[in-house]
Amino acid sequence: RESKIVQSVCFGVWLFIFIFGFVEHMNDLQKGCDPGDPKVGSLAVSDPQERALMCEECSTKNDRDCDLCAPGYYNFGTQCFKYLENLPPLTTGAALGGTTYFVLIVATQC
């Protein structure tokens, strides 16, 4: 009986992490077939022709997500970047808050 309870709790935690991992990944994620690099600045991509070619394949589902970046560009979520330094910062626990994960970790250890 105790074994089934432990298995159920572990499965519940795994399912929570599986589902909300995707939610965390998509939270405040920049989207677009336009490049994520700025147009002006030291790490900018200002050439309009280069900017137009960064996204090789725009999504056929919604025309705002880049499914495939051109070779030499980084795909971050659904947008292309030329320089790693231009990737936006990530926030841990952004969608659900850090307290949710703290409680989940403590509850799993009890």
Side-chain angles (χ1 to χ4, degrees), residues 18-79:
F18 181 77
I19 292 170
F20 285 99
F22 185 73
V23 171
E24 285 288 341
H25 170 70
M26 295 303 289
N27 185 56
D28 286 338
L29 190 65
Q30 292 183 3
K31 298 178 181 179
C33 292
D34 296 328
D37 294 296
K39 292 181 181 177
V40 294
S42 61
L43 294 173
V45 179
S46 57
D47 181 21
Q49 289 179 331
E50 182 180 5
R51 290 183 70 81
L53 297 174
M54 287 174 76
C55 181
E56 199 168 272
E57 186 177 318
C58 200
S59 175
T60 56
K61 295 177 188 174
N62 58 16
D63 287 333
R64 64 180 186 142
D65 297 342
C66 186
D67 287 339
L68 181 66
C69 294
Y73 296 97
Y74 301 100
N75 188 329
F76 182 75
T78 61
Q79 202 168 27

Side-chain angles (χ1 to χ4, degrees), residues 86-100:
N86 290 335
L87 295 179
L90 296 176
T91 306
T92 306
L96 301 175
T99 306
T100 304

